[in-house]
């Protein structure tokens, strides 16, 4: 409940300069300092949180684009002059909501700032009950990206033991988990990534059967044929464009493509043309776009599944942590140049 | 069973000259005359049929392409120097198979010739039991195209009353039925076709809510927005390429695209690039390729559904019949230039 004493503090923020065409620049995200009253007004059902970790996710590029109905049907655009929003792990400072009290930990959408006022709606925020695992994992493994990998792989791809799985952007927040889920399932899994370091990570740390650096391949079709001489049953799509085109002609009969993201396309003014769509017909392929929030009713089921594996060390998770909100813009922008190694996030405050 | 007297007759045939690049020409399909013994050898389980109707279907262009694993996984290529194959309605002349006897009518794959020897396998041929409807309907409404429309619309698109449906190549063998099924379901349905005559047919004979001539539209996106201001729930895809690209950005959330064919692409050496695939992600769209033969176990269920509607005049079917096997090549080639109005077929013999 609201305290009686005012407590106004400074609140650092990352402000959106306005919509972006092409690759975003640091000037599109401006650091500023304002103040905030650390109390929730009487009768408000909002909560006020201190942000501990902020997540850098590829979908945020979509929110930077010119507002238009197509992309907005997945995620709302950022508001010019306001802090950008993203997923974060936060601690409740004050609460007007019966389900949350001071000191509670939660994850969900917050502003890129030190303190945020949150209006709750169903599945907008999740209380954190398990703190024997790193708290930062709730931006990745145990948060939205983890749930994305879980829903996308198990619900959309309907995997079967022995099937062949290809994952692009495989060392990213979602990809590294899809590969590990595929191995748990008894699938053969190959990932692509954009550096030797990432490729090594896939093969050694995450247990992919094989991996390749797409930047070193002249012909992605040839590369895929090398790793999948008999074709691909399941493609977990994170990149789009030329990779999708090459994957299509390597799909097996009744293959499934889960469209989780198309990061290679977000910064293009004119998206790449994909030519091999007739394969969808020839091979009777299912291509299915999905959004993680349609599956949030399965979040506790997901935790029941994944937490034991994490505690037993059967699932590992690599994070790439930048410290300080001020470093947020360059951390986020680095994502679109593949600079991150593993799940990219920002440590804003230790508690 | 085999008769004791030899009975050798002439057998006109349409022979495949060899694989085709670009639009097929009449010289790719050569008329010839040979002879055939009208008896099945002792102990053979084959059957010998007289072909009454031969069906011209868009998929046959795929069989004319350079043999390669991709397209061959849908349909086998034609063999050079042999009669092309297609679906037909035939009458049994002699049979070594216990399920068929002389005089039986059936539909299934035969050679483009007057008489064919058929080796039966499961679902390769269907005995015709209902002859109170035109026999030619078993090349269309009551045969493969009808079953394609039924499986594609009901099984792949999961339609719901009140949804919006768009059908391309809508006056063709499959499209005209999809539109009528959609109306039976209580959907709003619009079709595209390539001439004023076909557009009129859609609106007057088949009961589409609206229709347009895609050749008269400068911008397919604008055309689709005119007919679907709130977007498309279901797209029944028969053409591919530019139409698919325009449809994608007009799809509604959780829309479904059944990929039945891509006739605009079959004759291209380099297929069109499709740019708007990110919509699959933004709108969580399912794009599903399918092949009718995966649904042939539902054929009798389909007949139970469709025959009463046909007998009561609630479903109509327009055929475009050419007489004489000699005219077969030009009839088939006309399909790839949109010359047919309705289901294209060839009358080879009246009985």
């Amino acid at each position: 409940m609201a305290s009686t004493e005012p407590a106004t503090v400074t609140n650092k923020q990352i402000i959106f300069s306005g919509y972006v065409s092409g690759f975003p620049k640091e000037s599109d995200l401006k650091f500023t300092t304002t103040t905030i009253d650390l109390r929730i007004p009487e009768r408000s059902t909002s909560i006020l949180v201190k942000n501990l970790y902020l997540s850098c996710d590829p979908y945020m590029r979509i929110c930077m684009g010119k507002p238009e109905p197509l992309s907005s049907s997945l995620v709302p655009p950022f508001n010019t002059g306001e802090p950008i929003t993203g997923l974060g792990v936060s601690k409740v400072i004050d609460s007007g909501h019966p389900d949350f009290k001071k000191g509670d930990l939660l994850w969900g959408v917050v502003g890129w700032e030190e303190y945020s006022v949150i209006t709750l709606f169903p599945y907008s925020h999740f209380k954190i009950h398990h703190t024997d695992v790193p708290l930062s994992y709730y931006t990745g493994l145990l948060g939205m990206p983890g749930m994305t990998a879980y829903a996308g792989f198990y619900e959309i791809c309907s995997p079967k033991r022995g099937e062949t799985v290809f994952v692009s952007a495989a060392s990213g927040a979602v990809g590294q988990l899809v590969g590990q889920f595929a191995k748990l399932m008894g699938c053969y899994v190959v990932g692509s990534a954009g550096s030797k370091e990432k490729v090594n990570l896939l093969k050694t740390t995450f247990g992919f059967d094989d991996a390749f650096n797409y930047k070193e391949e002249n012909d992605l079709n040839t590369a895929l044929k090398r790793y999948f001489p008999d074709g691909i049953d399941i493609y977990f799509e994170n990149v789009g464009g030329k990779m999708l085109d090459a994957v299509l002609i390597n799909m097996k009969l009744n293959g499934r493509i889960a469209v989780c993201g198309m990061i290679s396309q977000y910064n293009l003014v004119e998206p790449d043309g994909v030519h091999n769509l007739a394969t969808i017909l020839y091979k009777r392929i299912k291509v299915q776009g999905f959004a993680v929030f349609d599956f949030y009713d399965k979040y506790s089921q997901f935790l029941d599944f994944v937490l034991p594996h994490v505690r037993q060390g059967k699932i590992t998770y690599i994070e790439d942590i930048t410290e300080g909100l001020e470093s947020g813009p360059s951390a986020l922008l680095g994502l679109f140049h593949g600079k991150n190694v593993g799940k990219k996030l920002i440590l804003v405050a230790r508690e």
Side-chain angles (χ1 to χ4, degrees), chain A residues 24-344:
Chain A
K25 307 172 299 294
E26 290 219 24
S27 61
D28 296 320
L29 303 170
K30 287 197 172 135
F31 180 79
T32 187
T33 301
T34 178
T35 60
I36 185 167
D37 184 353
L38 289 187
R39 298 171 311 177
I40 290 293
E42 298 272 0
R43 278 193 285 277
S44 165
T45 57
S46 295
I47 63 177
L48 191 143
V49 299
K50 181 176 186 183
N51 298 318
L52 308 180
Y53 294 101
L54 291 173
S55 178
C56 299
D57 292 297
Y59 83 83
M60 296 168 77
R61 175 62 186 85
I62 303 172
C63 307
M64 295 181 198
K66 190 170 181 175
E68 46 93 5
L70 264 185
S71 56
S72 301
S73 60
L74 182 65
V75 284
F78 292 150
N79 293 317
T80 303
E82 294 183 14
I84 66 167
T85 59
L87 292 158
V89 172
S90 313
K91 189 176 196 171
V92 177
I93 301 292
D94 192 12
S95 172
H97 196 282
D99 294 350
F100 288 91
K101 62 177 197 303
K102 186 173 172 178
D104 279 351
L105 294 164
L106 56 84
W107 70 267
V109 175
V110 293
W112 273 39
E113 54 196 348
E114 291 178 287
Y115 299 93
S116 293
V117 175
I118 295 170
T119 303
L120 298 158
F121 54 89
Y123 298 124
S124 69
H125 296 80
F126 298 84
K127 201 180 284 189
I128 293 172
H129 298 288
H130 307 277
T131 52
D132 60 322
V133 287
L135 206 50
S136 57
Y137 276 10
Y138 289 93
T139 66
L141 169 54
L142 302 175
M144 182 280 284
M147 187 64 212
T148 300
Y150 180 73
F153 185 62
Y154 292 105
E155 301 279 329
I156 306 290
C157 297
S158 311
K160 289 186 280 292
R161 179 168 298 279
E163 287 194 317
T164 60
V165 178
F166 177 57
V167 187
S168 54
S171 70
V174 175
Q176 55 177 294
L177 288 173
V178 174
Q180 292 180 79
F181 291 163
K183 287 315 299 173
L184 287 174
M185 192 78 200
C187 296
Y188 167 83
V189 59
V190 176
S192 65
S195 75
K196 184 178 268 189
E197 180 187 7
K198 293 178 187 180
V199 166
N200 282 340
L201 207 57
L202 292 175
K203 292 198 276 193
T204 56
T205 306
F206 302 132
F208 282 60
D209 292 288
D210 223 322
F212 65 92
N213 180 350
Y214 72 92
K215 292 179 180 168
E216 286 180 353
E217 300 292 341
N218 289 323
D219 179 352
L220 293 172
N221 175 23
T222 304
L224 289 168
K225 283 195 166 47
R226 193 162 68 227
Y227 296 102
F228 298 97
D230 299 318
I232 300 167
D233 288 303
I234 290 172
Y235 173 45
F236 200 96
E237 164 69 302
N238 288 314
V239 302
K242 290 175 182 61
M243 183 63 92
L244 175 58
D245 223 358
V247 167
L248 277 166
I249 49 175
N250 284 284
M251 290 299 288
K252 278 168 103 162
L253 207 62
N254 301 314
R256 288 133 274 154
I257 298 179
V259 181
C260 173
M262 290 193 174
I263 196 172
S264 78
Q265 304 298 294
Y266 301 156
N267 297 299
L268 303 182
V269 177
E270 172 74 3
D272 286 333
V274 171
H275 295 80
N276 296 318
L277 293 171
T279 314
I280 295 174
L281 173 64
Y282 298 152
K283 297 284 191 179
R284 286 94 92 186
I285 294 166
K286 181 179 83 165
V287 184
Q288 173 83 64
F290 73 102
V292 61
F293 41 79
D294 290 335
F295 296 89
Y296 274 161
D297 59 325
K298 294 188 161 66
Y299 179 63
S300 63
Q301 172 191 313
F302 161 65
L303 284 186
D304 290 345
F305 163 78
V306 82
L307 276 170
H309 285 104
V310 175
R311 289 177 179 134
Q312 292 161 33
K314 288 185 184 162
I315 288 182
T316 49
Y317 201 65
I318 299 290
E319 298 178 316
D320 182 338
I321 306 181
T322 294
E323 203 164 330
L325 185 64
E326 296 86 338
S327 310
S330 71
L332 178 57
L333 269 46
L335 209 60
F336 305 109
H337 299 280
K339 287 186 181 167
N340 58 305
V341 177
K343 166 64 197 169
K344 186 73 207 172

